[in-house]
Amino acid sequence: MSTETAKKPSVLFVCVHNAGRSQMAAAFLTTISKGGIEVRSAGSQPADKVNPAAVEAMAELGIDMSAEIPKVLTTEAVKESDVVITMGCGDECPYFPGKRYEDWVLEDPAGQGVESVRPIRDEIKTRIEGLIESLVPAAK
């Protein structure tokens, strides 16, 4: 099997509640990569629903996250992903050798209004663009 037909890279975003940062990151990566990267997100202690301020902040950029539901982090999700990006879940994320791990230190948008979520959203977008370049160099 040549690298031309290799499976597309997969990324897992993990934060505690899977309600804000990881959901925004997953939505950006799905949208910007146009399906070229497999995207998952999960939380070590998932919330009941996605943060409404995060949904609103993303809607301002034309990205609809309103149907997303926080998901629980599973060992399988980590095993199936090439890159695992943690956002403040600390040691609760399982570690497997051979995976690429990144820890993105981002302010937690929980309980904040959309004005406070916008800069977090914009920082995530910048990081996602860099991530795509590192995973799909020809995408430039």
Side-chain angles (χ1 to χ4, degrees):
M1 185 163 114
S2 75
T3 53
E4 298 303 312
T5 57
K7 71 178 187 70
K8 58 186 174 183
S10 58
V11 177
L12 169 64
F13 295 101
V14 183
C15 65
V16 176
H17 300 298
N18 188 222
R21 295 166 289 186
S22 56
Q23 290 283 357
M24 289 190 287
F28 271 131
L29 186 55
T30 299
T31 302
I32 297 170
S33 74
K34 295 177 176 56
I37 297 172
E38 191 176 330
V39 182
R40 299 179 182 89
S41 72
S44 51
Q45 300 165 27
D48 296 331
K49 62 184 173 65
V50 174
N51 180 335
V55 172
E56 184 180 341
M58 294 299 283
E60 291 175 352
L61 300 181
I63 299 173
D64 181 8
M65 292 191 337
S66 62
E68 294 299 326
I69 299 167
K71 294 167 279 304
V72 70
L73 175 64
T74 63
T75 302
E76 290 73 34
V78 178
K79 280 184 181 174
E80 293 169 6
S81 302
D82 301 313
V83 181
V84 179
I85 297 178
T86 57
M87 303 171 168
C89 68
D91 298 332
E92 296 184 50
C93 187
Y95 179 83
F96 292 97
K99 303 280 178 205
R100 174 174 150 194
Y101 285 86
E102 292 184 20
D103 185 42
W104 290 2
V105 179
L106 297 160
E107 190 177 341
D108 188 347
Q112 299 194 49
V114 71
E115 299 79 20
S116 300
V117 174
R118 284 185 191 117
I120 302 167
R121 173 201 67 196
D122 296 345
E123 172 68 16
I124 290 171
K125 182 175 190 250
T126 299
R127 290 177 185 228
I128 291 297
E129 290 166 346
L131 177 66
I132 291 170
E133 284 186 21
S134 75
L135 293 173
V136 190
K140 292 179 190 171

